[in-house]
Amino acid sequence: MPIPEDVTGEEIDKDVRQELQSLPKTLAEDVAKNLVMVARLIDEDPERAYAYSRVALRLASRVAAVREAAGFAAYATQKYAEALAEFRAARRMTGTVELWPLMADCERGLGRPEKALDMAGAPEVQKLDKAGQVEMRLVAAGARRDMGQLDAAIVTLQSPELASNSVQPWTARLRYAYADALLAAGREGEAREWFAKAVEADRDGSTDASDRLAELDGVEFMDALVEDEDQDAAARDEQGAQDEDKD
C-alpha cells in the first residue's frame, strides 16, 4: 500500500510510538506510517483504512496497538468476527477493559444480542470510566432492541447521564438513542422532545438528530435547483397560456 510523502510516522500517539520501540527502527517506522493511514482514513474511507491495518498487522502482530487498530478498522467495515478477534487479542496483551463495549457490540453485529447483554452485566463494566459505561449502556439498549424488547431498551437508557443537563462527549448520542427508542415504541411526542435535546448537545454533528427532528415536524428538504426549475417551468406554462389567449 502506498504511503503519501507527507506521512512520517511521527504523527501517531506517543504511547503507541513507545510500544513500537520494541521493533527494529526501520520496521517501527513502516508500522507507524501504516497506523497513521488507518487513523487518517477510518472515517472517510474505512475500506482503505482496513487495507493499511492489514499491512501493519502483517508487520507487527505482537504489538497491542496494532491489534487494536486492526480491530477498529475491521469494525468500521462491519467485519465483526475479525474485529472481535483483534479486540480480544489487544485486551489479552494489555489487560485493560476499554474495548469491552466494542467487543459487546461486535457480538450484536454477529447476531448474538444475548451475549452482548451478558457482557453488559459483567464485572468488567464497573472498571470502565464514565464514557465507557455510557457506551456499554448504549450497546445494551441496542441489544434489547435487536431482541424486540423496546420498553426494556428505553428503561436501559434511563440513567443519571441521560437526565443530566451538562453536555459531555457522549450526551448527544445518548439522547439520540433514547429518542430513537421512544419513536420505535410509538411515543412520538416524547421522541420529538429528546431529538430536540440531542440537537442542543450535538455540537460537532455526530448524529443526524436535526434531520430526524425536522422529519417529525413535517419539514421536507427540497433541492434548491429543483425548486427553481419547477418555478421556471410554471412561469413558462403561464406565459404560454397568455400567448394562446392573445392569439
Side-chain angles (χ1 to χ4, degrees):
M1 294 289 294
I3 304 284
E5 289 183 10
D6 66 317
V7 173
T8 65
E10 293 296 315
E11 300 90 339
I12 59 171
D13 184 86
K14 64 178 182 180
D15 292 336
V16 176
R17 205 156 54 236
Q18 194 169 345
E19 270 194 74
L20 295 178
Q21 285 179 359
S22 61
L23 304 173
K25 188 173 185 296
T26 304
L27 179 60
E29 288 174 358
D30 287 344
V31 174
K33 288 177 181 179
N34 279 283
L35 292 181
V36 170
M37 294 306 297
V38 173
R40 181 180 286 190
L41 294 168
I42 197 160
D43 291 329
E44 63 187 55
D45 192 347
E47 288 292 346
R48 281 182 67 209
Y50 174 77
Y52 281 106
S53 78
R54 300 306 295 176
V55 174
L57 196 57
R58 190 169 68 246
L59 294 173
S61 62
R62 295 186 180 182
V63 176
V66 171
R67 303 303 289 265
E68 189 172 322
F72 275 107
Y75 180 82
T77 51
Q78 299 183 3
K79 297 176 177 68
Y80 296 117
E82 201 173 306
L84 184 57
E86 297 302 340
F87 288 146
R88 282 175 174 164
R91 184 167 179 266
R92 280 196 302 272
M93 291 174 175
T94 62
T96 63
V97 295
E98 291 173 12
L99 297 170
W100 195 253
L102 279 162
M103 291 164 62
D105 206 39
C106 286
E107 295 288 1
R108 280 187 63 212
L110 291 167
R112 301 193 291 246
E114 298 89 350
K115 178 64 176 171
L117 284 177
D118 287 344
M119 293 179 70
E124 283 83 353
V125 176
Q126 303 308 315
K127 300 174 186 175
L128 293 167
D129 61 14
K130 181 62 70 177
Q133 289 181 5
V134 170
E135 198 63 41
M136 194 71 241
R137 193 176 287 277
L138 288 166
V139 173
R144 291 290 186 191
R145 289 189 64 172
D146 294 343
M147 298 164 70
Q149 300 172 1
L150 286 175
D151 289 340
I154 290 168
V155 171
T156 299
L157 293 168
Q158 290 170 347
S159 59
E161 292 81 21
L162 181 69
S164 174
N165 288 324
S166 71
V167 175
Q168 303 295 334
W170 61 77
T171 303
R173 290 178 60 238
L174 184 58
R175 291 177 179 179
Y176 182 95
Y178 189 58
D180 196 44
L182 288 168
L183 189 60
R187 294 160 63 174
E188 191 170 310
E190 293 170 87
R192 192 209 171 281
E193 176 190 342
W194 281 96
F195 276 126
K197 289 183 177 181
V199 170
E200 289 174 12
D202 194 358
R203 293 165 181 170
D204 59 359
S206 62
T207 74
D208 64 347
S210 58
D211 292 346
R212 299 292 300 277
L213 184 61
E215 196 176 291
L216 281 174
D217 288 343
V219 176
E220 291 185 11
F221 296 100
M222 184 179 287
D223 189 289
L225 181 61
V226 173
E227 194 173 357
D228 288 343
E229 287 175 354
D230 289 345
Q231 288 173 352
D232 290 345
R236 284 195 300 271
D237 290 344
E238 187 177 345
Q239 185 64 48
Q242 289 173 357
D243 291 343
E244 284 179 13
D245 289 344
K246 287 176 184 177
D247 294 340

